[in-house]
Amino acid sequence: MSFDATNWAIKQRGLRPAAKIVLWHLCDRFHPDHGCFPSQDTLAEDCELPRSTLNVHLNDLEAAGLIAREQRRSKGTRRQESTRYRFPFEPGFERQNAEKPGPETGHGSDEAVSRNQPEPCPENGESRVQNLDSNPVREPVREPVNLREGGREASEKNEQPLSDAKKAEAAFWRLVKNWPGFDGMPKEPALVVWMKLTDDEREQATVRFPAWLAMLKAQKKSHVPAPSTYFREKLWTAAPDPVEAAKPKSAVAGPFGKLWMATRFAELMLPHATNIPGPTGFEQAQIRAGKLTLAQVREQKLIRFGWPAVNAMHESAADRRPTHCPLALEEAASDFRQVHRDSPLFDAWMAEHQRRGWPTLDRRRVAEWIYFPSVEDGEAPAAGLERFVDAISDYLTTRRQGDEHAA
DNA sequence: ACCCCATGCTCGGATTGCTT
DNA sequence: AAGCAATCCGAGCATGGGGT
């Protein structure tokens, strides 16, 4: 599955609920390297819909330009195979839609570029494949735009806000002039989409472009999506914000695993929150009655409110939901060792928690095996914890500075 | 010839939610 | 409550191919 793809699916608006579910499951079956080709039976089962209804929604999604279907046949046997589904964020999708001549845009090469079977085809109406011209994503030019001299000239001297059309156009050319492979692409669709963005979106698209390119490179993507796709799908939102980029990168980690527990311990090693609520009226009464001491109340409050991030992790873990954990802790976490929840070592760890005033783990709500910093035979948990803290000292320093800065 | 596979499509009926 | 539209569902047929 692809988180990016499902994330994209969930952001689509204006679809019927069931169509959105179909799109989501399609994206769930999408693999960045291999594509997406679930059988209709599989998809229908995923969506808990009958196949007939599934087809209705597939048609809707195709008409909305959110998917393109491509029938496949086995090369050897010519037997029909499950349909391949393409998405707008895939390079092939863009090329099919952008270069196919349309009644309004009028652009496109003479040769067919669709990978669909030539017969039946969109033109003859025997719609076993998509009707490319029904794609509403590609919109007609609403205002004349100068694609050549005007834009380039302006780009040379223009440093003002992107508020009027000419300046926005200039910014467009500055951004795309070095776009990989843009020479051979049609320019107009990209410019049209660009002009529809808000000033703020154009700025974000520009600022984040280098980070986005770097991200593609890191992902070893061989193809850079066309500018029109980048603008239309707002792909820059997937790239780290230059400000946010300074923060540690994270990964999704399951509860009680190495990285999850390392994150939990790292959070506990940070200074606790200071906005701890005072005793409630009931607690004050209990203190007056001698049933509780003020210190006990404060201790309980600290456990409940002192490390909100840890409590949030505990809540997620109760629902078996993972947590985003900083990858900076991964190396230190690799030394963690499994501890059984019914073992004396687990008890010793919880005793260490209590000694430090930390929230403990409930034996009944944890996994059977939990990872803790490695502890030698006869050694107290505190020693293992100390080694872990040493190993992540840089991370903790950065976090403390970050928290101070944020405060 | 018959069956199978994977898909596209249509139809009538049921359900649901909204409006009057 | 009645009417209406949207949505969903199950059944069935068609297409284009392969396998036996």
Side-chain angles (χ1 to χ4, degrees):
Chain A
M1 71 173 284
S2 162
F3 283 117
D4 287 343
T6 52
N7 199 27
W8 169 83
I10 217 70
K11 285 177 185 164
Q12 301 309 310
R13 299 287 174 209
L15 296 172
R16 290 190 260 174
K20 198 161 180 174
I21 286 170
V22 171
L23 183 62
W24 192 92
H25 280 289
L26 267 176
C27 287
D28 191 42
R29 294 270 175 186
F30 170 75
H31 188 284
D33 297 329
H34 304 119
C36 175
F37 12 72
S39 73
Q40 287 200 345
D41 280 344
T42 303
L43 199 53
E45 197 181 328
D46 282 350
C47 303
E48 297 184 71
L49 292 172
R51 208 172 55 76
S52 56
T53 304
L54 174 71
N55 271 308
V56 171
H57 297 304
L58 286 173
N59 287 340
D60 285 354
L61 292 172
E62 199 170 60
L66 294 171
I67 62 168
R69 285 183 280 191
E70 177 188 320
Q71 285 204 331
R72 300 184 307 144
R73 295 210 174 267
S74 164
K75 275 184 183 165
T77 63
R78 301 286 304 145
R79 195 180 190 85
Q80 184 169 6
E81 295 181 326
S82 58
T83 297
R84 172 167 189 164
Y85 299 88
R86 292 184 180 276
F87 303 95
F89 52 76
E90 285 187 276
F93 189 101
E94 168 62 28
R95 191 54 61 94
Q96 279 183 21
N97 287 276
E99 294 185 4
K100 197 78 179 169
E104 265 125 11
T105 52
H107 61 271
S109 61
D110 292 330
E111 289 193 6
V113 290
S114 170
R115 298 179 198 186
N116 292 334
Q117 304 291 320
E119 298 287 344
C121 67
E123 284 76 12
N124 65 19
E126 293 171 21
S127 54
R128 298 199 73 178
V129 292
Q130 66 165 152
N131 182 347
L132 293 165
D133 284 340
S134 67
N135 183 354
V137 173
R138 196 182 62 230
E139 294 177 35
V141 181
R142 293 208 181 137
E143 55 190 44
V145 284
N146 187 342
L147 294 177
R148 294 200 194 97
E149 294 78 5
R152 283 227 173 83
E153 278 169 16
S155 72
E156 241 91 90
K157 29 193 158 172
N158 186 346
E159 292 302 326
Q160 294 177 23
L162 311 174
S163 51
D164 69 59
K166 271 200 166 183
K167 286 165 187 168
E169 195 179 330
F172 169 81
W173 288 109
R174 273 201 303 277
L175 178 58
V176 303
K177 64 183 177 189
N178 295 321
W179 199 285
F182 193 51
D183 283 348
M185 297 180 194
K187 314 292 188 278
E188 194 176 275
L191 183 52
V192 170
V193 183
W194 170 263
M195 298 304 282
K196 290 182 193 303
L197 298 177
T198 64
D199 286 355
D200 187 49
E201 285 171 335
R202 281 195 281 263
E203 188 184 350
Q204 283 295 311
T206 306
V207 169
R208 295 200 192 191
F209 177 65
W212 179 71
L213 270 187
M215 189 184 78
L216 292 184
K217 197 177 174 185
Q219 291 171 349
K220 297 195 167 80
K221 293 275 169 66
S222 58
H223 179 88
V224 177
S228 56
T229 308
Y230 178 77
F231 302 142
R232 187 174 55 240
E233 302 300 330
K234 301 186 173 41
L235 295 180
W236 64 84
T237 56
D241 186 302
V243 178
E244 293 291 315
K247 294 185 180 176
K249 292 174 182 174
S250 66
V252 174
F256 313 115
K258 287 184 179 182
L259 185 56
W260 192 90
M261 284 297 283
T263 305
R264 182 179 173 278
F265 275 116
E267 287 295 329
L268 289 170
M269 292 310 301
L270 293 168
H272 63 72
T274 50
N275 52 341
I276 311 290
T280 62
F282 176 73
E283 285 162 344
Q284 286 172 8
Q286 287 202 309
I287 292 168
R288 280 195 298 275
K291 292 179 180 171
L292 278 175
T293 66
L294 182 61
Q296 283 173 323
V297 172
R298 282 183 176 154
E299 194 178 312
Q300 287 169 8
K301 296 274 180 188
L302 188 62
I303 288 173
R304 281 184 62 194
F305 303 105
W307 292 273
V310 173
N311 288 335
M313 289 177 79
H314 288 181
E315 281 174 25
S316 296
D319 298 332
R320 297 181 182 176
R321 281 183 286 120
T323 298
H324 282 279
C325 300
L327 282 170
L329 300 173
E330 201 171 29
E331 193 181 336
S334 65
D335 284 337
F336 277 35
R337 297 286 176 268
Q338 279 187 328
V339 174
H340 196 275
R341 65 185 172 200
D342 295 326
S343 67
L345 186 52
F346 181 85
D347 295 340
W349 272 111
M350 290 308 105
E352 180 66 20
H353 277 59
Q354 284 168 354
R355 193 177 71 76
R356 291 171 180 262
W358 289 349
T360 54
L361 292 168
D362 186 342
R363 192 195 310 279
R364 296 160 301 177
R365 298 179 72 184
V366 298
E368 185 174 4
W369 293 91
I370 308 106
Y371 282 90
F372 286 95
S374 66
V375 174
E376 303 296 326
D377 284 345
E379 213 177 37
L385 190 56
E386 204 171 307
R387 281 193 295 275
F388 172 65
V389 171
D390 281 347
I392 63 164
S393 58
D394 287 349
Y395 172 82
L396 290 175
T397 304
T398 309
R399 278 293 306 276
R400 286 186 189 117
Q401 285 169 352
D403 289 352
E404 278 168 26
H405 182 71

